[in-house]
Amino acid sequence: MFSSALKSFTSNISSNYTIAGQPTSASGPWKIFDAKKKSSGKAASVFVFDKKSLEPQGGSLGGRGNAASLKRAHEEVLERLKKEASALARLRHPSILELVEPVEETRNGGLMFATEPITASLAGLLQEKDEQERIGGVGGRSSRYVVEDPEGGGRKRRELEIDELEIQKGLLQVGKGLEFLHESAGLVHGNLTPDAILINAKSDWKISGLAFCGSSNTGTISTVAPIPLSEVLNQDPRLPRTVQLNLDYTSPDFVLDNNATSAADIFSLGLLIIALYNSPHRSPIETHASLSSFKRLFASSSSIPTQNNNFLCSGTIPKSLVSDLLPKMITRRPAQRLGAREFQQAQYFDNILVSTIRFLDALPAKTANEKAQFMRGLSRIVPQFPKSVLEKKVLPALLEEMKDRELLALVLQDVFAIVKAMPSGKRAFTEKVIPRLREIFLAGQAGKPVANAERDPSKEGGLMVLLENMSIVAKNSSGKEFRDDVLPIVLMALESPTHALVDASLTTLPSILSVLDFSTIKNELFPVIAAVFSKTTSMNIKIRGLEAFYTLCGGVETSDVPLGDGLDGVTLSDTPESNRSSGSSILDKFTVQEKVVPLLKGIKTKEPGVMMAALNVFKQVGKVADSDFLAMDVLPTLWSFSLGPLLNLQQFQAYMTLIKVLSGRIEKEQTRKLQELSANNTTTNLRSDGAASSVLSNPGNRIGNGSSGEETDFESLVTGKRTNGAVPDALEDWSASMPNRPGNAHNLPQQISGAPTFSWSTHPPPVPVTRTTSGTLQPRPANFRSITPDQSLSSFTALTPTSPSSQPLQPTRPMTTGPAPHHTQPTSQISTPTLNWTSANTNSAAPWPAQRTPSFTIPPPPTSSPSYQSRGNTTANVGAFSIAPPPANTGAQSAGLARQRDHAQGLDKYESLL
């Protein structure tokens, strides 16, 4: 309804301002809307009067007038309301409502003007408090107003509280406004009611509702006409009560004496004070807009508010008001009343908080020395102030004084004390303090510091206070607000040529890291810190930079985390500092290894303070960096630093402790890696060796023959059985490639068993073989004993055959002195020639020939043969014989044949002995 009505109010104000769709409060006949100026975005309040509100609810009234008289009454109301706006335009005082846009007539005949931002009227605030106390009892929830953002931001709630200090401060401001009206402007307000008191955004009480004001009729000279009492006292029932004089707050001077003096406003102010403490919050005089009722009330002393009847108040009024102030205000005789100036000097306002507010209001007129003394002492009494007064009154006044650079440091100390004391400090800091800080410390819209700017000691002092209170700033700022508005100030301080500012900036690092994201820390904050660390020539800043690196790598300033085996590259799991804010690295591993460590390695000074600060950083690096990096880059640097000539024993031992811990970690990790690698290699070798063995031991599994290209039968491939008795291709290949000579006895087992051997594998023990009479080779029995060539032929005793030489050789039993074997059928076998190199003739000059006569092995006879046992002693030395190497001459071959013939004859003689 209101939004549609506003559209009909075509004026310059509606064209130049964005006006909210719903009113936030009301002041008599005026509806108050929040607004913002389109060109500047400055907040304002628009007062709107709708002419339709003058029309009677039930149509025109007959009997007392006609339509012409009603129209004339409406015109008088409009003229009176225009007079109110015009009076605001002429009066300029901190306690008088400030007019921004003059009154304008709208298209439908209404009125509109714009003022400073208004939160509520005192009448609306008291009505809201009545509703709250009725619901929740006296002392219910704090007063709130629901308002709507003019730019469509939605509805929001405004907190409004009326406590004792708020009342004292407001009444004091009203007294100042009345003093200005009475003594400077020569005016009498005439209708001082709760509707005429407006509360602005700074929680100041402003006087408005000047529709009935006029000059005093006490003979003072004024350009304003006196109040026409005969007209204003006439209550017209056809008009709303909001456009007529409110008799409930009217002085008896008007009604009974027909006298309009400034004392009448003091009487109305006394009734207003009682309404503040009354329950419900209204005047103790209820006339119901009737002059006869008013006269009847003042005809009896019992119906008049006095000290005897507690001023007809159902609430509790402070004793200072009851005993001192109100009796001098609510009195029948105007001469006995206090003046506006005397009212401000009453004992009721004599306390430190009210005095502080009064001094703060008069601060622009104070000297520089008085301002400085006030700012130094303000922080001590800040906790005594109500939070609403701090936020709406004290804080805005201090922010206005920040324009004085000489007071900047002192003002900022008080500002941070107020933000810390307020429960809603974050909102106040974000909305009010941060924009002011940007305006003072940063130049340009981008928030970048001015290059080559001149040093301002006063500004640097304020910046130092800001850095010292950075924990409060971080606590009351969101991440985005801090990054956009506060971080540029910190970076500017880091790049300052003043060492004290740089030192203070590095000290703030633990506070600001909690509100910054990783990308901002790595890309914006860390490069500036690194540049300051590498370029500074101050040892103190060098140490501060190392402390900053310690914090960026996850160090904790408040706790001393002991070193131990918990250096696992991530964090110490057994310590409480295991989260990001206290124990884990803020920078990533790459930045720590590639950026931080090179800065540490580049340290030139060997001062113990710098060395020990660097040691703390290396402790944190040891928790983050890889073991390889620690071994190749960190440990050499630690050894170099530990041998510094200025370190004492304890400092050297601290370095050695870290070196041992990091070395132990490297050893442990490297050992684990090698154990895992060894286990993996063993498993791999077992698998590969098993596969190779299966292929090599069973060469028939090969799919094809590399030489002929023929494929093996599928059944033999999948079953592993040979379909024919043919020798495998691989065996044929191996046997074809082996040299076929009698001396290579170690090759014979391979030819028989088919098992190949390789140069890299362990040779199996040779399988003994013998040659049968038919000339074929077969495996030798386990108990078979061969004769090794350990004796020369010259020592062999000649044997005489017992049978004719024409008789063929018969199988004989071998002689042995050992236990009898289980064989019962001994056979004469030709053994594989073996050489006993230990007993061979080492003096022979000629090499052993390739063709050698094989030695004969005589199997032992059975143990049951008595003849053999009886001759055991005589044949003990005939166990084996050897063939000496032939001489290296051309007759070696004929000599060998002769020896074979002699050997055959020797066998005949031996058999004859048996």
Side-chain angles (χ1 to χ4, degrees), residues 497-517:
T498 305
H499 287 176
L501 287 178
V502 179
D503 183 84
S505 303
L506 293 174
T507 308
T508 63
L509 193 60
S511 300
I512 68 179
L513 291 179
S514 59
V515 293
L516 294 178
D517 58 282

Side-chain angles (χ1 to χ4, degrees), residues 793-860:
L793 287 178
S794 59
S795 62
F796 191 79
T797 306
L799 299 178
T800 304
T802 57
S803 61
S805 61
S806 62
Q807 185 179 359
L809 292 174
Q810 300 296 328
T812 59
R813 297 177 182 178
M815 294 185 300
T816 180
T817 58
H822 64 278
H823 298 282
T824 58
Q825 296 295 332
T827 56
S828 177
Q829 298 176 343
I830 303 174
S831 63
T832 304
T834 59
L835 300 177
N836 188 352
W837 297 103
T838 58
S839 59
N841 188 6
T842 57
N843 297 325
S844 176
W848 196 262
Q851 298 291 336
R852 292 186 300 272
T853 305
S855 62
F856 294 89
T857 302
I858 304 173

